[in-house]
Amino acid sequence: MDETLPTATVRTEVTVPLRFPDGYVTSARVHSFHGLVDGREHLAIGLGERRDPDASPPLVRPHSECLTGDVFGSQRCDCGPQLREAVERIADAGGYLLYLRQEGRGIGLYAKLDAYALQDGGLDTYEANVALGRGADERDYTVAAQMLAALGVTRVALLSNNPDKAAQLERLGVTVVDQVLTGVHLSPANAGYLAAKVTRADHALDLPFVP
């Protein structure tokens, strides 16, 4: 890992049985940490069989918290379906879901709702953040790299469509052996949101209406 990366350590590991609304069940090893640089309560959720990370890189998804999508099933984004997909795929392959407290691309829950109001007026998801005086995407994956280092993981297969996640992790000393794409979770309510991901941030999404 990058020698300049502050050291984090595992604080607690507990087993939590999971059950999703569609009936899918699995067991997770939930890790908390000491020493994360932003002081927030991020989690690393171990799924599937433990494996030697040097022999076979684990499947890892850094997933930014989305209360509206992850908990309440909002269809304005694809966060809830991506979370559900990631849990099952990582449980099958073995790896970690890194649940990062970076609501609204890092701007917070209230600001995200303010951005929604601007989107209702015609701005896309990135333009709305900027109109609020914030960055288009303020997420920082330093804590993700710290958690992986604390777990002894230096090489990952990254479950993400977002090239910025891979680029940031590489800069932080994590070797991204492969970038594994998620599914496309398209609905009438999130079509504009997904299109903005492709056109504004180069997300690898195969949408039928984006050239």
Side-chain angles (χ1 to χ4, degrees), residues 58 74 154-155 180 204:
S74 168
T154 59
R155 301 164 65 248
V180 182

Side-chain angles (χ1 to χ4, degrees), residues 6 35-40 140 142-143 146:
L36 298 178
V37 292
D38 63 6
R40 295 179 182 176
D140 182 301
T142 302
V143 292
Q146 284 187 287

Side-chain angles (χ1 to χ4, degrees), residues 43-108:
L43 299 174
I45 301 171
L47 296 158
E49 293 185 10
R50 297 179 190 265
R51 57 170 65 191
D52 179 353
D54 293 324
S56 178
L59 185 62
V60 172
R61 175 168 176 78
H63 182 90
S64 296
E65 178 182 41
C66 177
L67 178 70
T68 51
D70 296 344
V71 178
F72 295 110
S74 168
Q75 294 189 42
R76 292 187 69 135
C77 62
D78 59 344
C79 301
Q82 281 193 323
L83 177 64
R84 168 64 183 84
E85 175 194 2
V87 168
E88 184 168 2
R89 291 181 68 176
I90 296 170
D92 288 343
Y96 295 96
L97 176 84
L98 307 179
Y99 198 78
L100 307 176
R101 314 304 294 274
Q102 301 190 116
E103 184 85 45
R105 293 200 185 90
I107 68 173

Side-chain angles (χ1 to χ4, degrees), residues 36 39 68 80 90 98 112 114 124-125 127 152 164 168 175 203:
L36 298 178
T68 51
I90 296 170
L98 307 179
K112 182 177 82 169
D114 292 340
D124 71 33
T125 179
E127 292 168 339
D164 184 53
Q168 285 201 40
T175 299
H203 283 229

Side-chain angles (χ1 to χ4, degrees), residues 115-132:
Y116 277 176
L118 293 175
Q119 290 170 44
D120 290 343
L123 299 184
D124 71 33
T125 179
Y126 297 96
E127 292 168 339
N129 281 15
V130 172
L132 292 172

